[in-house]
Amino acid sequence: MSEQLRRHTFSVLVDNEAGVLARVIGLFSSRGYNIESLTVAAIDEVANISRITVVASGTEMVIEQIKHQLGRLVPVHKVTDLTMEGPFLARELALVKVAGTGDKRVEALRVADIFRARAVDTSKNSFVFEISGTTEKIDAFIQLMKDLGLVELSRTGVVAISRGAATT
Amino acid sequence: MSTDQMTGAEIILKALADQGVEVVFGYPGGAVLPIYDAFFKQNAIRHILVRQEGGAVHAAEGYARSTGKPGVVLVTSGPGATNAVTGLTDALMDSIPVVCLTGQVATHLIGNDAFQECDTVGITRPCTKHNYLVKDINDLARVIHEAFYVATSGRPGPVVVDLPKDIQLGSGTYVPPKAGKHKSYRPQVKGDIGKIREAVELLVNAKRPLFYSGGGVINSGPNASKLLIDFVKMTGFPITSTLLGLGAYPASDRQFLGMLGMHGTYEANLAMHGCDVMVAVGSRFDDRITGRLDAFAPNSKKIHIDIDPSSINKNVRVDVPIVGDVAHVLEDMIKLWRADTRRPRKEAIDAWWQQIDQWRARDCLRYKASNDIIKPQYALERLYAAIKGRDDAYITTEVGQHQMWAAQFLKFEKPNRWMTSGGLGTMGYGLPAAMGVQVAHPDALVIDVAGEASILMNIQEMSTLAQYRLPVKTFILNNRYMGMVRQWQELLHGGRYSESYMDSLPDFVKLAEAFGAVGLRASKPSEVDDLIKEMIKVKKPVIADIAVDQAENCFPMVPSGAAHNEMILGDEVGEPKARVTDAGLALV
Ligand SMILES: Cc1cc2nc3c(=O)[nH]c(=O)nc-3n(C[C@H](O)[C@H](O)[C@H](O)COP(=O)(O)OP(=O)(O)OC[C@H]3O[C@@H](n4cnc5c(N)ncnc54)[C@H](O)[C@@H]3O)c2cc1C
Ligand SMILES: Cc1ncc(C[n+]2csc(CCOP(=O)(O)OP(=O)(O)O)c2C)c(N)n1
Ligand SMILES: [Mg+2]
């Protein structure tokens, strides 16, 4: 049995009802699981379904427990361990506020361009960049921006979906 | 009001009736008065007025465990709901179907710190299988029906339905229970046949096999017990059981090794330690069972049948997981076993039995008898002699040494006759649980095997017994100590008996009389049989106060953090003594 920590991404389809997020979060805190990221939004207004994407880390046994514990919640329709099931896409969006003038401001724009981040707000001495991509890409972008006047940051957390025609 | 319109309170009672509910254990208050008003106007459902809401939940648990039907509770908002929390947690830990209706302040007041408001769904979320707050009267009937479905299907558990007062007073339409699938909750009942085949493959090749059955067999129903007996007989393999599984397999049968675990028998624990193929049937590898995990059944292949996938691979990694209902899986397993022409090597199985019989010969429950002082084990042996063979004897317990001795010395031949708080270990469980059992089986002999400390935790329910003429017998093994605590202090804390002596105990005989019950007392071994005879004869509630040896310890004992083969035996039985390690000391 490997005690090594691994990080898995779960996709959880739930009834979009009051308290469902509290159930999921309560489960993680009461059982001592680590959440790295959690996002939720309604995806089907008619059937009233939301998708929760959770990135969690733990040993192999804990990861298996997380999947089954989520599956036990009554309003949960389906839990998919995307990391187990095969290739999937995971994306995050971040809004990055950078303040400054002169060379740093020019350099920030240049780096944003390389990362395909868009300036969505501009003032004389600031930009807000919108960037989306993998967590690693966003981490790298933020790292670079730290030296170029990063003053504020807002990230969405990960959303994910499996590759190919199959649905989860 | 048009004909199909009913008040919320009427809808609630109609839904209960349509769910087949015969009795509700409850306690009124402002936030449930409309429901109590509806109770007043009908006769279909009986209401048992408990004396504290915690008693209501344990009573519902006793009712459920002894009938296989869900137990139903009704309490008011705020303190009514918070008093129910221990019982709900108990039912969650031991997988008991309970539906608990709680009153709530009117919807427009929720969140305003209104009088007797508490966040019931918030508080009970982690201690229920599921809970609901009904905010629209048109959801009311459906939600109550759904609550019963969730409480009773899959791995059973407690469900709370929080009912704001304006919903109870409003008017709406009733909908009857609907057959058909729940939109999201669909537990897997049939086991994967490929996995069952793998299990049979292991079994036909086993040399030292062992069945390890648990509460899930009882949850699965009487047919599961029957199939378990059939299969165990067919294979000729030994079987042990957890505390919660007792009765699913007849204790008097030769193939039964007694309970395993912390206070299990020598033979059961050593068989567990030495087996090469283990079949866990509706049992969950609790820490009272496994002892030190890295030394648990070290050379075994493990098959695990459980309806809850999260019970599998939680504490112990198994080789053949089978998700499904015990009865369904055993049925398939028996078919495959029958169809297979191979059988385990007879010499191997015979040798295994020889080994087990040697362990058995150790007679690990032996204790030093006395003519002067009542040994708790002796009192239970005599109790067992008096109820042996009675199909209508039901035993509940409180929590402590007496509970473990009851598990060791009373033998259960059938399921649903034994109700004890296992997972949560709730002192105060036994008396109200016995009350629930007696309500379900009015003519049965229902006995709460109690400790003098535990019994005081819900003693108020004696008043309920009097009101409803429920002749529950409370059999107190009175050692004037929180014996289980004293035992741990003796073994683990240098004999420093900090706060475990029960000073200023009431006179239990007078206490019984004050509650309109009969009080009996025995202080010498020679008085025990007469006391038991009288206790059983009396057609009223009884408190029997039996003064037992204060210093007696419960053995065998696998101390926390030790392995099965390191168990401590009683002085009469001898040797292997585990030393409690520092790591073990930190465990509960
Ligand atoms: C003081 C004290 C000492 C104790 N000492 C011991 C001891 O020495 N030995 C001991 O055994 N216990 C002991 N216990 C009890 C212990 O804490 C656990 O409660 C108990 O061991 C759990 O029993 P179980 O494994 O049968 O599980 P349960 O809690 O009964 O769980 C049942 C399992 O079966 C599954 N299940 C439910 N329904 C079905 C179905 N229809 N089909 C398939 N699976 C199903 C559930 O998902 C669950 O995994 C002690 C308790 C106390 C308070
Ligand atoms: C509500 C609650 N509080 C505390 C405990 C811890 N505890 C376990 S056994 C025990 C002592 C029980 O004493 P008694 O009822 O006299 O039984 P005995 O062990 O003496 O047979 C205590 C305090 C518990 N299990 N439940
Ligand atoms: Mg005591």
Side-chain angles (χ1 to χ4, degrees):
Chain A
M1 179 172 51
S2 139
E3 284 302 308
Q4 209 188 335
L5 289 189
R6 46 192 82 207
R7 182 203 279 173
H8 281 229
T9 304
F10 298 91
S11 171
V12 190
L13 294 178
V14 298
D15 276 336
N16 182 13
E17 63 181 29
V20 66
L21 194 57
R23 287 182 207 284
V24 171
I25 291 172
L27 171 72
F28 276 77
S29 69
S30 68
R31 297 197 179 260
Y33 305 146
N34 286 321
I35 302 187
E36 298 194 353
S37 147
L38 185 144
T39 62
V40 54
I43 56 164
D44 184 336
E45 303 293 343
V46 181
N48 209 25
I49 301 279
S50 294
R51 187 187 300 274
I52 300 179
T53 308
V54 194
V55 182
S57 60
T59 60
E60 190 184 344
M61 251 165 131
V62 167
I63 294 290
E64 189 182 333
Q65 272 294 302
I66 292 175
K67 177 172 181 198
H68 293 314
Q69 293 291 351
L70 285 167
R72 276 170 105 196
L73 298 177
V74 170
V76 167
H77 289 257
K78 196 171 176 199
V79 184
T80 311
D81 180 343
L82 290 167
T83 309
M84 283 290 283
E85 301 274 308
F88 69 101
L89 295 166
R91 293 291 181 268
E92 250 195 276
L93 185 139
L95 297 172
V96 183
K97 186 176 285 183
V98 178
T101 50
D103 285 354
K104 286 204 171 165
R105 185 171 159 87
V106 179
E107 179 64 5
L109 257 188
R110 230 175 48 82
V111 172
D113 192 43
I114 294 169
F115 277 80
R116 299 216 184 99
R118 289 194 301 140
V120 288
D121 177 74
T122 310
S123 74
K124 271 194 206 134
N125 55 357
S126 72
F127 291 117
V128 174
F129 294 114
E130 175 192 311
I131 179 170
S132 70
T134 63
T135 300
E136 292 72 23
K137 172 179 163 185
I138 291 171
D139 286 346
F141 181 68
I142 290 166
Q143 203 52 44
L144 288 171
M145 285 298 160
K146 273 187 184 154
D147 293 338
L148 300 174
L150 187 149
V151 289
E152 201 170 20
L153 181 62
S154 186
R155 294 173 76 151
T156 57
V158 173
V159 293
I161 203 161
S162 64
R163 286 186 186 268
T167 61
T168 48
Chain B
M1 218 186 280
S2 72
T3 47
D4 62 340
Q5 292 284 294
M6 294 162 75
T7 70
E10 287 165 353
I11 290 176
I12 292 164
L13 283 184
K14 173 109 176 85
L16 295 183
D18 283 357
Q19 287 293 336
V21 174
E22 294 161 344
V23 57
V24 171
F25 300 92
Y27 206 92
V32 281
L33 285 181
I35 304 177
Y36 274 86
D37 206 36
F39 256 113
F40 196 77
K41 298 175 190 156
Q42 58 89 50
N43 283 318
I45 301 175
R46 200 172 163 209
H47 181 274
I48 302 284
L49 177 67
V50 299
R51 296 303 188 260
Q52 207 262 24
E53 290 85 352
V57 188
H58 295 319
E61 291 184 274
Y63 178 92
R65 275 184 150 154
S66 67
T67 59
K69 293 190 279 190
V72 182
V73 176
L74 171 61
V75 298
T76 193
S77 65
T82 53
N83 272 348
V85 164
T86 300
L88 293 169
T89 312
D90 192 89
L92 183 71
M93 289 290 263
D94 286 352
S95 307
I96 305 172
V98 168
V99 174
C100 177
L101 309 178
T102 54
Q104 182 56 279
V105 301
T107 44
H108 69 277
L109 292 174
I110 290 179
N112 280 6
D113 299 326
F115 178 63
Q116 294 198 327
E117 180 186 358
C118 73
D119 177 8
T120 301
V121 285
I123 290 171
T124 61
R125 199 176 284 129
C127 64
T128 52
K129 180 171 173 187
H130 193 51
N131 62 15
Y132 302 86
L133 169 62
V134 181
K135 282 185 161 168
D136 179 346
I137 193 164
N138 294 313
D139 293 334
L140 180 57
R142 178 187 59 75
V143 166
I144 292 180
H145 296 316
E146 193 177 309
F148 277 86
Y149 168 76
V150 171
T152 53
S153 52
R155 178 179 186 169
V159 175
V160 162
V161 185
D162 202 22
L163 300 161
K165 196 166 178 182
D166 55 326
I167 300 289
Q168 302 169 34
L169 290 167
S171 77
T173 325
Y174 179 73
V175 292
K178 250 199 342 247
K181 286 188 172 166
H182 186 268
K183 59 185 168 164
S184 55
Y185 183 65
R186 296 175 194 170
Q188 184 175 336
V189 172
K190 283 286 274 180
D192 179 282
I193 202 76
K195 291 280 175 220
I196 300 177
R197 192 166 288 124
E198 278 177 47
V200 171
E201 189 65 32
L202 284 178
L203 289 175
V204 295
N205 290 306
K207 299 191 184 69
R208 298 184 311 280
L210 180 65
F211 285 96
Y212 146 49
S213 67
V217 182
I218 308 214
N219 286 139
S220 180
N223 190 40
S225 289
K226 199 189 144 292
L227 290 165
L228 178 69
I229 297 168
D230 288 351
F231 195 40
V232 172
K233 291 272 149 209
M234 228 174 266
T235 56
F237 297 166
I239 173 168
T240 177
S241 164
T242 67
L243 181 72
L244 294 190
L246 295 176
Y249 189 90
S252 61
D253 188 80
R254 206 191 90 79
Q255 280 167 258
F256 187 65
L257 308 187
M259 180 174 83
L260 84 165
M262 182 173 272
H263 292 290
T265 66
Y266 188 67
E267 53 271 31
N269 282 335
L270 289 192
M272 198 62 158
H273 191 76
C275 69
D276 73 337
V277 177
M278 165 200 314
V279 196
V281 192
S283 45
R284 59 182 175 83
F285 295 88
D286 182 78
D287 53 55
R288 287 313 78 159
I289 298 302
T290 58
R292 201 171 78 231
L293 276 172
D294 60 11
F296 173 68
N299 301 311
S300 62
K301 292 270 185 220
K302 302 174 188 73
I303 299 159
H304 188 182
I305 305 170
D306 202 295
I307 201 158
D308 179 353
S310 80
S311 280
I312 296 178
N313 290 339
K314 178 158 67 182
N315 305 325
V316 170
R317 216 174 242 297
V318 300
D319 302 277
V320 184
I322 305 173
V323 177
D325 167 60
V326 167
H328 285 81
V329 173
L330 283 182
E331 202 173 334
D332 286 339
M333 206 176 268
I334 289 173
K335 272 191 204 137
L336 291 183
W337 171 272
R338 285 216 166 103
D340 205 310
T341 52
R342 296 167 304 164
R343 286 294 173 260
R345 266 191 32 244
K346 187 168 178 314
E347 309 84 86
I349 303 293
D350 286 350
W352 179 225
W353 270 114
Q354 263 169 30
Q355 169 69 79
I356 289 172
D357 286 337
Q358 270 173 29
W359 290 328
R360 218 179 219 166
R362 196 86 185 237
D363 195 8
C364 68
L365 298 180
R366 212 156 11 116
Y367 62 93
K368 199 173 166 69
S370 162
N371 288 326
D372 312 317
I373 191 160
I374 303 173
K375 292 285 178 174
Q377 300 96 323
Y378 173 76
L380 287 167
E381 276 178 348
R382 297 319 299 157
L383 180 65
Y384 180 59
I387 63 173
K388 194 174 172 181
R390 275 185 79 147
D391 196 35
D392 69 338
Y394 294 79
I395 305 288
T396 70
T397 76
E398 305 292 338
V399 171
Q401 291 179 317
H402 62 277
Q403 174 190 27
M404 293 297 110
W405 282 315
Q408 292 173 339
F409 286 87
L410 305 178
K411 310 225 175 304
F412 297 93
E413 303 294 312
K414 287 198 174 162
N416 307 104
R417 302 296 193 279
W418 162 248
M419 358 275 139
T420 193
S421 170
L424 197 64
T426 312
M427 291 170 70
Y429 170 87
L431 182 61
M435 185 165 93
V437 175
Q438 191 83 72
V439 166
H441 309 275
D443 300 322
L445 173 62
V446 185
I447 303 172
D448 172 27
V449 175
E452 79 296 335
S454 296
I455 195 66
L456 291 178
M457 288 218 178
N458 270 321
I459 194 72
Q460 77 286 348
E461 299 308 330
M462 287 301 296
S463 173
T464 315
L465 297 182
Q467 179 177 350
Y468 298 95
R469 298 194 163 70
L470 299 167
V472 167
K473 323 293 185 198
T474 299
F475 193 74
I476 304 178
L477 298 176
N478 186 344
N479 51 12
R480 283 143 289 157
Y481 269 105
M482 297 173 193
M484 187 58 91
V485 173
R486 194 201 52 73
Q487 174 166 349
W488 280 52
Q489 289 173 332
E490 179 184 330
L491 300 177
L492 310 175
H493 295 277
R496 292 178 294 280
Y497 300 129
S498 177
E499 302 295 323
S500 54
Y501 180 67
M502 289 302 289
D503 206 330
S504 307
L505 282 168
D507 177 332
F508 282 108
V509 171
K510 284 196 188 140
L511 188 65
E513 286 160 5
F515 279 116
V518 172
L520 301 172
R521 176 169 290 134
S523 9
K524 293 201 293 279
S526 58
E527 295 166 354
V528 171
D529 278 338
D530 286 346
L531 175 143
I532 291 171
K533 210 160 137 199
E534 183 62 17
M535 176 182 89
I536 294 176
K537 203 176 81 190
V538 173
K539 295 282 173 269
K540 281 176 136 194
V542 173
I543 298 182
D545 182 17
I546 297 131
V548 298
D549 190 348
Q550 290 189 275
E552 193 68 22
N553 284 333
C554 182
F555 292 120
M557 177 176 181
V558 181
S560 300
H564 284 160
N565 58 349
E566 300 170 332
M567 104 194 70
I568 308 179
L569 296 170
D571 291 339
E572 283 301 285
V573 186
E575 321 140 52
K577 280 218 174 178
R579 278 207 19 262
V580 177
T581 58
D582 287 348
L585 200 59
L587 300 172
V588 179

